Amino acid sequence: MLSERKEKITIPSDEYNQKRMLRSLFNIRMPKPVSDEFLQIQDEYLQEENRRKGITDIADLEPIQKGIYLWQGDITTLKCGAIVNAANSQMLGCFNPCDGCIDNAIHTFAGVQLRRDCNEIMKKQGYDEPTGQAKLTPAYNLPCKYVIHTVGPIVSGRLTQEDRDLLKSCYLSCLKLAEEKSVDSIAFCCISTGVFGFPQREAAQIAVDTVKEYKEESHSDIKVIFNVFKESDLAIYRGVLTNE
């Protein structure tokens, strides 16, 4: 990967900064061919990194309601059918080195194959991914089987009904696509919150209501995990799910 760079790069002497440099190179690398030798080394490294972080299997989780789970942790360590990525409209992942967004983490620990696949999807589509839809890719080096990518609404200023409808569409699109592909479990991140500006509590209410309505109306047995990272989101989802 260093050989692809035109500028001279000095490799740090310590492991922590070496790993940050490698992640940065993953993040800024454009989708282009890569050798089988590189992929073998990359895959072994990423699978070991994921193992070191600790993998959580949905089979070991207790549902908070029938078929619905609430779990706090790093979504890239979750072993289930599919995890949902809060993508941008270009669908190529985050190019900002070591950014803390979920898009960056998922693309980093899945491997460079994920950006390649997303690029192929977008080239065939020929236009940016619309808000509220969903696309599915393999998860490669992540412990889940698939990644489902969806673009949530960006809220600037007052929250509108269109924003609410688009967020609901994200959840419905992901659920329907998962079932089309016979995925038996799906983990949702907090779509559109954070830098996308959707108020956390209302986003959680829409997420929970949409999942419950879908499961009731379609008689679906798909298991749904609401994944949170921050304590504030954990409290909000717990309150929504237990009507507190």
Side-chain angles (χ1 to χ4, degrees):
M1 192 173 288
L2 285 173
S3 64
E4 296 177 346
R5 309 299 301 173
K6 293 181 180 180
E7 71 273 23
K8 184 178 180 180
I9 297 177
T10 301
I11 300 175
S13 58
D14 62 294
E15 183 180 1
Y16 173 78
N17 283 304
Q18 287 173 0
K19 288 183 176 181
R20 281 187 63 84
M21 173 179 279
L22 181 59
R23 177 168 180 166
S24 297
L25 291 170
F26 281 154
N27 296 158
I28 63 177
R29 186 180 189 273
M30 298 301 292
K32 54 186 176 182
V34 65
S35 70
D36 290 339
E37 180 184 11
F38 171 83
L39 289 179
Q40 181 180 351
I41 296 170
Q42 174 211 246
D43 292 352
E44 289 176 359
Y45 166 74
L46 289 176
Q47 287 167 28
E48 176 60 18
E49 285 297 291
N50 287 330
R51 187 193 66 78
R52 286 184 181 181
K53 288 189 294 183
I55 294 171
T56 298
D57 194 319
I58 186 175
D60 297 326
L61 300 179
E62 291 291 330
I64 192 168
Q65 296 182 15
K66 184 180 179 181
I68 295 178
Y69 302 74
L70 176 61
W71 180 72
Q72 182 182 24
D74 178 354
I75 200 169
T76 67
T77 67
L78 192 54
K79 184 178 180 181
C80 61
I83 62 172
V84 173
N85 178 30
N88 57 48
S89 59
Q90 287 73 47
M91 271 265 293
L92 294 180
C94 171
F95 283 86
N96 188 14
C98 297
D99 192 79
C101 70
I102 194 168
D103 198 13
N104 186 291
I106 287 174
H107 274 267
T108 296
F109 293 103
V112 298
Q113 302 98 313
L114 187 59
R115 181 168 282 167
R116 177 199 64 194
D117 283 8
C118 288
N119 185 54
E120 288 299 315
I121 290 171
M122 297 308 289
K123 282 169 61 177
K124 290 178 182 178
Q125 181 165 286
Y127 53 86
D128 285 353
E129 179 71 359
T131 302
Q133 297 186 16
K135 297 289 189 294
L136 181 142
T137 62
Y140 292 101
N141 293 293
L142 298 174
C144 58
K145 188 174 183 180
Y146 299 108
V147 178
I148 298 179
H149 310 260
T150 189
V151 180
I154 299 174
V155 178
S156 53
R158 185 177 60 86
L159 187 67
T160 67
Q161 187 57 45
E162 182 182 14
D163 295 327
R164 297 182 183 94
D165 293 342
L166 285 170
L167 184 59
K168 179 176 182 176
S169 180
C170 288
Y171 285 92
L172 284 175
S173 296
C174 291
L175 288 164
K176 290 175 181 177
L177 182 56
E179 298 234 87
E180 285 173 13
K181 301 297 182 179
S182 300
V183 176
D184 61 359
S185 57
I186 183 171
F188 284 105
C189 60
C190 302
I191 302 168
S192 275
T193 58
V195 295
F196 275 32
F198 209 108
Q200 292 167 290
R201 186 170 296 279
E202 187 148 8
Q205 191 69 61
I206 290 170
V208 172
D209 289 347
T210 303
V211 166
K212 286 185 174 181
E213 288 172 11
Y214 175 82
K215 287 173 70 68
E216 289 171 5
E217 293 174 3
S218 65
H219 305 290
S220 171
D221 292 325
I222 191 169
K223 296 176 181 176
V224 176
I225 304 168
F226 291 110
N227 163 245
V228 298
F229 194 73
K230 298 185 293 185
E231 288 290 337
S232 57
D233 287 321
L234 179 64
I236 288 170
Y237 269 89
R238 183 174 285 134
V240 171
L241 285 162
T242 59
N243 297 314
E244 293 180 353

